[in-house]
C-alpha cells in the first residue's frame, strides 16, 4: 500500500477557529479547544467493511452496545476448519483512530488471511471525551459480548461463530490498543476466578505490538531517539496523548500509563497467559517496552519478545519505511506461530 504520512506540514487542515483558544493539539490528528470542542482532521480515511483488500477474507461490522456506540469489525478467513480468535484494539493514543480506518482494515484483513484466524477489531470510545478507563471498560464489555455469543450465539452471528475455535482466544492490539489489551487482561484476571474466568472461551495469550506505556522518568530512547517528520509517535505527541487520556489530575506514573510504577510485586500476583511483545528498533518506546518485558519475565511470566529492525512506531499500518513490507511479513509470521503453538 502507499505510505501514510503523519507529517503535519503535509496533512495540516485549515480551521475557521470559531471555537477560540486551542489548549491541546497534535498537528494533523487532534485539536482540543478551551470551550470543549474537539476536532479530528480526517488524516486517514475510514472505509466500509465491504472494501476488499484480500480475496479470502469476509469482513462485517456488528454492534456490541448501541448505548455506548461500541461496535466491532469482524474478519473471517475463508480457510477450512475452526480458527483462533483475536480480539484486537487499534492504536491512536486513546484519542484518535477507528476500527474503520483504512490502514487497520488492510492490516487486519491481511493478518486474518495470512495467520488463518478470526479477528474482532473493537471500536472503543475515545478520549478526551471518554478518559481512561472508558476504553478498558469497552474492552471488558466486548469480551463479555464474545463470551455471551459463544454461549448463546444468535443465528445472525453464525457466519463467524461457527468458524471460531473458542479454546484458542487471544487479546491483541498495537500502541494504545496494546495498552488496552494488557489492561483488559489484568481486569479479567481480577474479576473472575481462574476456573470460570473465560469459559467457554480459553484465554491463551496476549499480543502486544509496540505497547503504549509511559512514566514520569524518561527512558534513554525517549530522550535520545531522533524521530523523522513522518514519525507516528514523538515524545511531545506521547505526552499530549497522556494528558488527554489519563484521569484528570493524574501524572504519567498512574498505573494506566506506567504498569511498573507500583513495583514488580503486583506483576508477580497476576495470572496471565503467554505474552508476545513486538518492539520496533527505532521507536521512542523501545526501551520502555524492553523494561516491561524484563519485568514480566522476572515476575515469572512467559514472554516472547520480537524486535523489528530498522522500523519505527506503527510501521505495520503506516508503511513509512522502505523496510516496512518485509517487517510486516515477519510480524504476521510471528503472530501466526504464537497463536498456533
Amino acid at each position: 500500500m502507499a505510505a501514510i504520512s503523519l507529517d503535519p506540514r503535509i496533512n495540516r487542515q485549515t480551521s475557521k477557529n470559531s471555537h477560540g483558544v486551542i489548549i491541546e493539539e497534535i498537528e494533523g490528528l487532534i485539536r482540543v479547544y478551551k470551550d470543549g470542542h474537539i476536532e479530528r482532521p480526517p488524516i486517514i480515511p475510514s472505509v466500509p467493511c465491504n472494501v476488499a483488500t484480500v480475496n479470502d477474507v469476509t469482513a462485517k461490522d456488528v454492534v456490541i452496545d448501541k448505548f455506548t456506540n461500541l461496535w466491532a469489525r469482524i474478519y473471517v478467513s475463508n480457510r477450512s476448519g475452526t480458527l483462533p480468535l483475536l480480539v484486537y484494539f487499534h492504536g491512536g493514543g486513546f484519542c484518535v483512530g477507528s476500527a474503520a480506518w483504512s490502514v487497520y482494515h488492510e492490516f487486519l484483513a491481511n493478518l486474518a488471511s495470512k495467520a488463518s484466524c478470526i479477528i474482532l477489531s473493537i471500536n472503543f470510545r475515545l478520549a478526551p471525551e471518554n478518559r481512561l478507563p472508558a476504553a478498558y471498560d469497552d474492552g471488558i464489555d466486548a469480551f463479555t459480548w464474545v463470551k455471551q455469543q459463544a454461549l448463546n450465539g444468535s443465528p445472525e452471528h453464525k457466519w463467524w461463530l461457527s468458524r471460531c475455535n473458542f479454546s484458542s482466544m487471544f487479546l491483541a492490539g498495537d500502541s494504545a490498543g496494546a495498552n488496552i489489551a494488557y489492561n483488559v487482561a489484568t481486569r479479567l484476571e481480577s474479576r473472575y476466578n481462574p476456573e470460570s474466568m473465560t469459559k467457554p472461551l480459553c484465554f491463551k495469550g496476549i499480543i502486544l505490538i509496540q505497547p503504549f506505556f509511559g512514566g514520569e522518568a524518561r527512558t534513554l530512547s525517549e530522550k535520545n531517539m531522533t524521530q523523522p517528520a513522518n514519525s507516528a509517535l514523538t515524545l511531545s505527541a506521547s505526552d499530549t496523548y497522556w494528558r488527554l487520556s489519563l484521569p484528570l489530575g493524574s501524572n504519567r506514573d498512574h498505573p494506566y500509563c506506567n504498569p511498573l510504577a507500583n513495583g514488580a510485586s503486583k506483576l508477580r500476583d497476576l495470572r496471565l497467559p503467554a505474552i508476545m511483545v513486538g518492539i520496533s528498533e527505532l521507536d521512542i518506546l523501545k526501551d520502555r517496552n524492553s523494561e516491561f518485558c524484563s519485568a514480566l519475565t522476572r515476575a515469572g511470566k512467559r514472554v516472547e519478545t520480537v524486535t523489528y529492525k530498522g522500523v519505527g512506531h506503527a510501521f505495520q499500518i503506516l508503511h513509512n519505511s522502505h523496510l516496512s513490507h518485509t517487517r510486516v511479513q515477519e510480524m504476521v509470521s510471528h503472530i501466526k506461530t504464537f497463536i498456533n503453538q
Side-chain angles (χ1 to χ4, degrees):
M1 67 170 282
I4 297 290
S5 176
L6 293 183
D7 185 346
R9 297 170 299 181
I10 297 174
N11 294 294
R12 182 178 287 119
Q13 304 288 322
T14 57
S15 172
K16 296 178 181 178
N17 201 21
S18 59
H19 295 277
V21 178
I22 298 172
I23 57 173
E24 294 282 9
E25 181 175 18
I26 300 173
E27 284 195 275
L29 285 168
I30 187 168
R31 190 178 296 122
V32 181
Y33 291 86
K34 189 174 182 180
D35 69 356
H37 179 72
I38 297 167
E39 294 176 353
R40 293 181 176 89
I43 189 171
I44 294 174
S46 293
V47 296
C49 59
N50 58 3
V51 170
T53 58
V54 292
N55 293 328
D56 64 342
V57 170
T58 300
K60 294 182 182 180
D61 293 344
V62 299
V63 175
I64 295 175
D65 187 338
K66 64 182 180 181
F67 297 106
T68 58
N69 196 30
L70 178 62
W71 60 273
R73 180 161 294 180
I74 305 181
Y75 301 86
V76 180
S77 168
N78 295 336
R79 305 289 173 84
S80 60
T82 58
L83 306 172
L85 172 64
L86 272 65
V87 178
Y88 193 94
F89 302 93
H90 67 76
F94 307 103
C95 298
V96 300
S98 167
W101 266 12
S102 60
V103 291
Y104 280 107
H105 186 69
E106 177 167 340
F107 172 63
L108 294 178
N110 178 60
L111 179 60
S113 173
K114 299 294 186 1
S116 298
C117 61
I118 295 173
I119 300 174
L120 269 72
S121 177
I122 308 302
N123 200 74
F124 51 87
R125 288 171 292 172
L126 299 177
E129 300 96 323
N130 300 281
R131 289 175 176 266
L132 296 174
Y136 305 155
D137 294 340
D138 286 349
I140 292 290
D141 289 346
F143 173 85
T144 302
W145 181 83
V146 171
K147 184 176 177 179
Q148 290 170 342
Q149 294 303 317
L151 288 168
N152 311 300
S154 59
E156 66 178 305
H157 293 294
K158 185 177 179 181
W159 67 277
W160 67 274
L161 289 172
S162 64
R163 305 295 316 286
C164 263
N165 177 4
F166 291 115
S167 65
S168 187
M169 192 276 289
F170 298 81
L171 292 175
D174 66 293
S175 193
N179 177 302
I180 295 169
Y182 175 75
N183 277 283
V184 169
T186 61
R187 278 159 174 71
L188 288 174
E189 185 274 338
S190 62
R191 177 173 295 193
Y192 303 101
N193 66 57
E195 290 73 27
S196 66
M197 184 166 73
T198 59
K199 286 182 179 179
L201 306 175
C202 181
F203 182 21
K204 288 190 66 177
I206 310 168
I207 300 167
L208 308 178
I209 302 170
Q210 304 136 4
F212 185 44
F213 295 123
E216 285 297 302
R218 305 295 195 188
T219 65
L220 286 176
S221 61
E222 287 170 344
K223 289 188 292 186
N224 301 327
M225 190 79 73
T226 302
Q227 297 294 294
N230 68 344
S231 171
L233 188 68
T234 63
L235 190 58
S236 173
S238 173
D239 288 351
T240 302
Y241 283 135
W242 288 120
R243 286 195 300 272
L244 292 175
S245 61
L246 286 171
L248 290 171
S250 303
N251 66 19
R252 293 191 307 275
D253 280 334
H254 190 287
Y256 295 166
C257 177
N258 186 356
L260 306 183
N262 296 327
S265 59
K266 185 178 179 183
L267 289 179
R268 202 171 295 116
D269 294 336
L270 290 173
R271 294 169 300 220
L272 296 173
I275 304 169
M276 172 186 161
V277 181
I279 301 173
S280 291
E281 184 183 34
L282 305 183
D283 190 352
I284 63 168
L285 298 177
K286 181 187 76 167
D287 289 349
R288 195 169 294 281
N289 288 173
S290 296
E291 291 173 5
F292 175 66
C293 292
S294 297
L296 286 172
T297 301
R298 289 194 301 270
K301 311 308 173 195
R302 179 183 164 196
V303 183
E304 297 182 20
T305 305
V306 184
T307 299
Y308 298 99
K309 302 288 187 180
V311 287
H313 195 79
F315 73 89
Q316 72 281 356
I317 61 166
L318 298 180
H319 297 269
N320 54 359
S321 161
H322 69 283
L323 289 172
S324 292
H325 181 70
T326 300
R327 298 295 178 258
V328 169
Q329 289 180 312
E330 293 172 2
M331 176 181 286
V332 169
S333 177
H334 292 145
I335 293 173
K336 181 177 182 178
T337 300
F338 182 76
I339 65 177
N340 286 292
Q341 60 188 359

